[in-house]
Amino acid sequence: MQRLHARYPFLEAARETVATEAVDLATVVEREEAVVDRATQRVITALEDGDTGEPHRDHRVELLSYPVARVLVSMVGENVLVRKYARAEAATAYDRFIEDIEDTTELKSVETAGLDLEALFAEFDLREAIHGPVDGEYRIDVGTYLPLAADLWDDEWRLVNQPLERGEVPVDEGELLALLREGIRERIEDGLPFDVPETIAADLEAEAAEIREVLADLDLTREIDTVVPDLFPPCMKALLDQIQKGEHLPHHSRFAITAFLASIGMTTDEIVDLYRVNSSFGEEMTRYQTDHIRGDTSPTEYSPPSCATMQSYGDCVNKDDLCERIPHPMAYYEERIDDAEDEELEDWREGEADEAESAGD
Ligand code: SF4
């Protein structure tokens, strides 16, 4: 059993094992160097390689390194670390349950017995929502499918691209396992970061500092002031689109998009340029409003409105899955920027500069 819990420390039963062994984390971090080392390695490997690295040969050390790793992630407290860490834990669990599922179908022994699909369904309360398999195909209730697929950005996962029948989405085993991986990721991310008691934090300062250093070297905490319109929240994309088409926007809508652009670091000149595509473009008015919002010609620097305000003005449109989890358009953009691959991150301003240069050649 300890092997199973060491392999899948996010399982409810593993959490209970840690609790019933009356393990006091403060004592563990103070006295058990092997656990702290493995926990640190868990987090650093998550950042560098996207998995949790070689497990410790001692199952107890391996199991305890998981709650300690969560403490370390909480101490560093960066959203991007929480996401990368949860993703790496989930990726490792995914590789392991694929191995286990193959093992159960081939040579099963007491020693190798791991997780099977039924156990995973039960763990995530999914038994009622997943039907089949029939001819290798499962069907999953749409209400269960949607939150699990929420962070899978590829088009194939979007509901519009799924042949929905009687409120059920058909998935093959590979897709089902990918959805389970998402369920695990969500469970791991849940509750992170949390407040770490002083007594525990004091013993882990050096390890947290080491992780902060790795994070800084990897330069993952991307600056929000990158302008990538493709990653804008749907509401801001829609407003920008209307301005560029020359449509007249009510004051609150114009304010929302201008404040958003100023908040992601665009200067008045750049905002004016971005709006200029519009034929009936009122440069003077845009300059006046932009300077005002930026606080250049007024005592206040305005922030873009929250999702609740956008909704009340009817400016919240085309909501997508990420919208369900964030309270503010800036939070939406920050998360998309953090999660983007490097090649997706060409700043709009660099593209403009290249075009201007080649036009001048
Ligand atoms: S939920 Fe928020 S971020 Fe999403 S479209 Fe609405 S206002 Fe924009």
Side-chain angles (χ1 to χ4, degrees), residues 233-235 307 310 316-317 319 323 326 329:
C235 49
C307 294
M310 295 285 285
C316 167
V317 293
K319 276 173 78 161
C323 286
I326 44 91

Side-chain angles (χ1 to χ4, degrees), residues 92-243:
T92 302
Y94 175 82
D95 289 345
R96 289 181 183 164
F97 65 64
I98 297 243
E99 253 173 45
D100 281 355
I101 286 166
E102 279 165 10
D103 270 358
T104 19
T105 47
E106 287 165 16
L107 43 127
K108 180 174 175 175
S109 74
V110 176
E111 189 38 36
T112 59
L115 271 193
D116 58 21
L117 266 180
E118 281 304 322
L120 275 169
F121 293 165
E123 179 73 24
F124 289 93
D125 260 343
L126 294 173
R127 191 54 279 184
E128 300 286 300
I130 294 176
H131 317 281
V134 176
D135 296 334
E137 188 180 272
Y138 293 82
R139 307 188 70 81
I140 172 164
D141 292 350
V142 66
T144 302
Y145 175 88
L146 280 176
L148 289 175
D151 272 350
L152 297 167
W153 296 106
D154 286 349
D155 277 354
E156 62 175 291
W157 295 101
R158 297 190 63 88
L159 205 53
V160 285
N161 297 326
Q162 295 289 353
L164 189 64
E165 253 178 53
R166 295 188 311 274
E168 293 168 3
V169 184
V171 288
D172 62 25
E173 186 173 294
E175 290 167 329
L176 185 63
L177 294 175
L179 290 169
L180 287 168
R181 184 189 58 210
E182 289 302 296
I184 293 170
R185 186 185 58 69
E186 231 172 72
R187 177 178 289 185
I188 290 166
E189 209 170 312
D190 198 33
L192 283 178
F194 49 80
D195 285 337
V196 178
E198 239 337 283
T199 41
I200 297 183
D203 280 316
L204 293 173
E205 265 316 325
E207 289 75 13
E210 191 183 342
I211 294 165
R212 273 192 207 103
E213 223 166 90
V214 173
L215 195 58
D217 283 351
L218 287 173
D219 199 17
L220 289 170
T221 35
R222 287 164 172 156
E223 294 298 334
I224 190 85
D225 62 359
T226 315
V227 181
V228 189
D230 276 351
L231 304 181
F232 283 3
C235 49
M236 298 302 173
K237 261 190 204 160
L239 292 177
L240 182 59
D241 198 44
Q242 287 172 52
I243 290 191

Side-chain angles (χ1 to χ4, degrees), residues 24 56 65 97 133 149 185 189 202 241 272 279 292 298 324 327 334:
D24 169 12
H56 197 281
S65 70
F97 65 64
R185 186 185 58 69
E189 209 170 312
D241 198 44
V272 165
S279 49
H292 186 78
S298 70
E324 303 299 335
E334 195 180 11

